[in-house]
Amino acid sequence: MSLADSDRELVVEELDREPTPAEAALFENLWSEHCAYRSSRPLLSAFDSEGEQVVVGPGDDAAVVALDDETYITMGIESHNHPSYVDPFDGAATGVGGIVRDTLSMGAYPIALADSLYFGEFDADHSRYLLEGVVEGISHYGNCIGVPTVAGSADFHSDYEGNPLVNVACVGLTNEERLVTAEAQEPGNKLVLVGNGTGRDGLGGASFASEDLAEDAETEDRPAVQVGDPYTEKLLIEANEQLVDEGLIESARDLGAAGLGGASSELVAKGGLGAEIELERVHQREPNMNALEILLAESQERMCYEVEPKNVDRVAAIAERFDLGCSVIGEVTDGNYTCTFEGETVVDVDAYFLGEGAPMNDLPSEEPEQPETDLPEVDLEEAFDAVVSSPSTASKRWVYRQYDHEVGVRTSVGPGDDAAIIAIREAEQGLAISSGAAPNWTDTAPYEGARAVALENATNVAAKGATPLAAVDCLNGGNPEKPDVYGGFTGIVDGLAEMCETLSTPVVGGNVSLYNDSVAGPIPPTPTLALVGTKDGYDAPPLSVTADADDGATLLLVGDLGLEGEARLGGSEYLAQFDGSDRFPALPDDPAALIETLAAVADDDATRAVHDVSHGGLAVALAEMVSDDAGLEVSIPVPESADETVAAAALFHEQPGRTLIQTDSPDAVREAFDGVAPVVELGSATDDGRLEVTVGDRTIATDAAAIRERRETIERELE
């Protein structure tokens, strides 16, 4: 990839001369889709990013949200999609490293990670190879740096075959006194580079992330993939903590896309300032590096700090204590952004023009067509087996058991539940975290599917008794120059923005990843949302039902059975398994009231268990609630004369916002949801570990052991 002719003309007009090779490379990378959001920025104004508790919104390395007057959390999310295809281990690992350094640059300590992963069909050898490498990379890096991976998702869809997605979110902890931003403060302050030595790895990573993957990408693009060192990152985390504690940092930026050139120019541009940088002063780990390599290499585990001159020696001493490299590479000025190398000026541009001057794209867009209804005729028991054992709905235990999700002793509810809960003892609050998307939903209906993704994540949090607080998004799409692809991408942006605003959940930051296209075609539009909510205390109702000797608890479904009017199975795993199509189901009329009521009911003393109904529909949710100690007898009230299509709709449709609640006070639950959502009594728990589901005149009978075997699809194939 090189600087486009139209862009070069703008640069020449601004500089009144031809750019130097280093300048041209800087503009190529910083004006790429990956850095400048040229196709997506015009759409992002749809998001509401403001709120009473929002301290720092979009535009910084991470967002900052207040839990109370003294305690802040940071939130960030990043994609490492192309690197993870080319080199799954290092691509995924460095994605973790990058989002953690975004957290550090805000003066925060990282306390939790969430990973949302998307691969091609699970039965394809290449998909399993990518899955194994990505999970190993995330677990290796996260475990080594001591940050727990507590939440996430993993989905499989044929359209990810040539371009998997690896989205990683990070939550950090800070307060008002410790808060740092990426906005340079004062001319005369020094720019100090701390961390790993600079090598040649990751050259051109930003531009590589802004183009379609070619057929030979796994070999040809490997030099664009960074190589991570989590042990150095751990030292950097602890050094950063001490630097912030001692108040030595005026502003900070981690070195990610476009390396030193990107971090240092963006830092001063945000402050309306410039810089003078001497590139030969950068500590290096490879010999004979030239100016362009030093400027653009994306070597990992590096931070750029603005430091007052009087504090430079102390910063260097702390870096030395943690065995980290440290270079005073220049200073902040009130002029241009300039870089010299061995006495020669190689860059001399206006920093704001470099960072913000890229023209936005005005692209044609086509609205997606509504799918026609083509429902398969499948035996109900066969469908139950197929959906419950599908890799997308099956247990993800093989993935998350490789992660240390308890390090840091804050994890109250770990992975495998609807949402994780982290103890924020500083504010005496539990922080619930849910992260994921639903490619079947947004492939079927981008706008409605994205609304459903937001509601689904909010439901996960509310099922643990938490109220949604804020969210960050990772908007993944294919080549935006294709009108149908851009139409789908526009749909997910608008849908996500609309539902988050409805739920009074500000979207405080995020990431955009386009050109996720390969010879296999574009990915489905994929709006990953990482949403957090808060609650008093750290306890939450379990996902599994309980049974005891004097059991009187009732199992209720809150939400639509899908039997009124025209049943819609669109976007369901059932149709994905049996090659059908249908329109996406309608969403609840008042989702905000639904989420508020659910959070209150989940925290009620009479509530024994709560589980949201989503991927795989009622069939999967019921299967997940039974254990060896407690089963369920369920009767779904459909007419006995109902055909297989009606029974399938009841069991497998995936309208979001629905939950199963086991309660000692069913009347109180009905009263709470009166006027908000329908409540249907389904049955009760048993003490034999069996699941019996009667739908009209059909009964599916199984037990916890058989369900467990069905749901071990991923584990069984990879071990």
Side-chain angles (χ1 to χ4, degrees), residues 65 109 112 163 170 210-211 272 327 402 417 505 534 591 602 620 640 653:
V65 181
Y109 196 88
N163 198 131
C170 184
S210 304
E211 55 190 359
S327 306
Q402 299 185 51
D417 212 311
T505 304
T534 54
V620 170
E640 289 192 5
H653 89 89

Side-chain angles (χ1 to χ4, degrees), residues 78-96 116-119 126-127 129-135 137-138 160-168 208-209 213 217-218 221-222 224-226 516:
E78 176 171 302
S79 62
H80 244 220
N81 303 335
H82 286 186
S84 297
Y85 177 81
V86 173
D87 181 348
F89 178 88
D90 284 313
T94 51
V96 174
S116 298
L117 313 175
Y118 310 88
F119 302 96
H126 193 248
S127 296
Y129 155 75
L130 292 173
L131 169 65
E132 290 180 288
V134 164
V135 171
I138 291 172
Y160 296 116
E161 179 62 36
N163 198 131
L165 303 183
V166 176
N167 297 171
V168 182
F208 160 59
L213 282 173
E218 288 177 283
D221 291 320
R222 193 167 294 272
V225 179
Q226 309 95 329
N516 291 292

